[in-house]
Amino acid sequence: MDDALVGVQLWLLLLLSTRIWAEFCDNGTGECVELTATDCPVIFYNHHLIGADIKYCDEFNDIVCCPIQLDHQSQKPADETHPFERECKRFNEARASCRSTPFIVGGSKAAGQEFPFMALIGTKGNDKADINWDCGGALVHPRFLLTAAHCLETSESKAERLDPNFDSPKFVVRLGELDYNSTTDDAQVQDFRVVNYVVHPSYDDEDGFKNDIAIIEIDRAAVVNEHVAPACLPPSSGDENSQLTAAGWGFTSDKGTKSSHLLKVTLQRFSDEQCLERLQQGIETRTQFCAGSITSNADTCNGDSGGPIFVQHPLYPCLKQVIGIVSYGLVCGTQGLPSVYTKVHLFTDWIESIVWSD
C-alpha cells in the first residue's frame, strides 16, 4: 500500500478516535469542541486571560474542553425564556459591530465603546453645572439601569422618593462617557434626569448592606448606538466563572483620587469560605459574593459602588452579562482582601417586574 495513503488513513483514524474518546471531558461537565466563537465563546473570547489553564482535548487541532453549562447548545433559546433574555437577543441584533478586546488583569484604561452599558450616577451641587459623580451603574434597558441601593437611599433621598410628586433634580445619569474631564476622547455622551428609582424592599444598610441593589428610571429612552447599549441580566448565578471584570470611575487607591477615565480590572472570584476567612466578618452568602486578587492589588474602590461586575455573554460576542453589583469593601486595593458584590441573578424576577412590567 502506498505510504502516503497509509499516513492519511492513520491520521483519519487518530482524528476519529480523538473525537470518540474525547466527546465529553471533566467527568461530563465539559464537551470537546473546536476553539471557535461559535462552538465555545466563553474560552474563545477569554483565552488570553485563561492562558495555560485552558484544558485541551486535542491541542494540536485546537479542540478544547468547553464547559457544557456555558456552551451555546445548552442554553434555552432566548425567545422561550424570560423577557430579559428576549430583550438581550434584541440588543444583540441591534448592534452591527462592537469593539471586543481581551480582559486585562490589573487596573487599566478602558477603550471607547468597550463597555457601552457603563453609567455615571451623580448629584448636582449648588452650581447646576457642578456634578459630583458618586457611583456607577449598568444600563439594562434603554430607560432603566441597575445600581447599588446605598448609592441612592439616604434619609434625604428616601423622603424625596416617597413624595408622590417625585421628580428628582438631585440625581443625574450620564451614558456613553469615557473620560469626563476630556472633550476629545472616544465618547458620545447622553445626559439624563432621574425621574424615579426603586430600592429593593429588603435592602438593609445596618447589617452588611444586604440586598444592596436598586433600579433607576431616567427621563427618556437612551439612544442605542456603539457608545451606549444595554448589558444583559444573567439567567443563572454565574458561579462557574472564576474570573470576572469590573469597570468604573472610582478611586485608584484607598487614599487616592478618583479616575476621570473609565478603568477596567479583572478580578478573581473568592469562595464563600475564603471570603468569610479574609474579611473576618459575615456576609450573606446567598445574596452576596466576594472578588479580588490574591496576586495583586486589583480591586474596586470608593466611587465604583453601584457599578457592574460582569462576564462575556456566552451567546453574543458584543454583549456582557452583569453577574454582580459593587456593594462594599473594607480597604481598597489590598492584595488578598476581597470586596463584596450583590448577586444579580437572584433579583431578576424583581427587576423584570419593574423594567418589563407591560
Side-chain angles (χ1 to χ4, degrees):
M1 185 179 294
D2 184 82
D3 289 343
L5 181 59
V6 172
V8 170
Q9 289 176 331
L10 289 174
W11 180 83
L12 289 173
L13 180 61
L14 176 61
L15 180 60
L16 179 61
S17 63
T18 297
R19 290 186 179 276
I20 291 174
W21 68 257
E23 181 179 358
F24 294 99
C25 51
D26 273 0
N27 296 319
T29 63
E31 183 178 5
C32 294
V33 297
E34 292 184 9
L35 182 55
T36 67
T38 301
D39 292 327
C40 191
V42 67
I43 293 181
F44 181 84
Y45 288 106
N46 293 288
H47 68 277
H48 294 87
L49 174 65
I50 302 171
D53 292 331
I54 294 177
K55 296 181 180 179
Y56 285 93
C57 302
D58 181 354
E59 188 168 2
F60 180 77
N61 291 297
D62 275 346
I63 307 297
V64 297
C65 181
C66 187
I68 288 178
Q69 63 265 36
L70 291 181
D71 183 64
H72 71 283
Q73 293 179 351
S74 69
Q75 298 279 338
K76 293 182 179 180
D79 59 358
E80 294 181 8
T81 52
H82 292 278
F84 71 81
E85 291 184 303
R86 293 197 297 270
E87 286 293 282
C88 190
K89 181 180 180 181
R90 186 174 67 84
F91 298 152
N92 179 70
E93 292 171 348
R95 299 194 67 191
S97 62
C98 63
R99 180 172 298 181
S100 181
T101 57
F103 296 154
I104 301 174
V105 175
S108 60
K109 289 185 176 181
Q113 308 174 40
E114 189 173 5
F115 305 125
F117 50 87
M118 289 299 302
L120 278 160
I121 300 171
T123 53
K124 291 183 178 181
N126 295 328
D127 181 355
K128 292 185 178 180
D130 180 25
I131 299 176
N132 183 30
W133 299 114
D134 301 306
C135 284
L139 191 72
V140 294
H141 178 281
R143 197 162 177 171
F144 294 90
L145 56 147
L146 297 183
T147 189
H150 79 261
C151 287
L152 305 170
E153 195 73 330
T154 63
S155 57
E156 178 184 354
S157 61
K158 183 176 182 179
E160 285 183 344
R161 181 171 57 84
L162 296 176
D163 186 333
N165 298 314
F166 176 81
D167 186 6
S168 175
K170 179 179 180 181
F171 293 114
V172 292
V173 167
R174 175 169 290 179
L175 301 173
E177 184 62 280
L178 185 60
D179 186 337
Y180 57 74
N181 282 341
S182 173
T183 58
T184 60
D185 58 334
D186 184 9
Q188 290 183 14
V189 169
Q190 299 179 39
D191 286 336
F192 304 87
R193 290 183 303 111
V194 173
V195 295
N196 193 19
Y197 67 84
V198 182
V199 170
H200 193 273
S202 298
Y203 168 60
D204 183 359
D205 62 350
E206 296 181 357
D207 186 20
F209 292 96
K210 293 177 181 176
N211 305 296
D212 191 10
I213 188 169
I215 300 170
I216 287 178
E217 181 181 3
I218 51 181
D219 63 320
R220 65 192 188 280
V223 177
V224 176
N225 53 40
E226 292 309 308
H227 291 84
V228 175
C232 297
L233 299 180
S236 59
S237 68
D239 288 347
E240 67 279 0
N241 295 285
S242 60
Q243 302 286 341
L244 307 171
T245 298
W249 291 267
F251 284 76
T252 55
S253 66
D254 192 51
K255 296 182 179 179
T257 58
K258 288 182 182 178
S259 170
S260 65
H261 195 292
L262 179 62
L263 300 179
K264 61 181 178 180
V265 64
T266 299
L267 302 173
Q268 175 184 346
R269 186 166 186 154
F270 283 47
S271 68
D272 292 341
E273 293 74 17
Q274 289 175 316
C275 182
L276 294 170
E277 176 187 351
R278 292 172 184 271
L279 287 178
Q280 296 185 347
Q281 67 179 47
I283 68 165
E284 187 180 59
T285 56
R286 188 183 72 84
T287 61
Q288 296 172 315
F289 69 91
C290 289
S293 177
I294 294 178
T295 59
S296 73
N297 62 354
D299 198 4
T300 51
C301 199
N302 299 329
D304 293 319
S305 290
I309 187 166
F310 49 90
V311 296
Q312 175 65 47
H313 196 288
L315 294 176
Y316 309 127
C318 289
L319 300 179
K320 303 292 189 288
Q321 276 185 347
V322 179
I323 301 298
I325 299 294
V326 181
S327 184
Y328 73 93
L330 300 183
V331 181
C332 303
T334 301
Q335 183 175 328
L337 185 64
S339 292
V340 180
Y341 301 82
T342 302
K343 295 178 180 180
V344 171
H345 80 284
L346 294 173
F347 301 95
T348 52
D349 288 344
W350 174 71
I351 295 168
E352 279 189 340
S353 71
I354 298 168
V355 176
W356 292 283
S357 58
D358 295 335

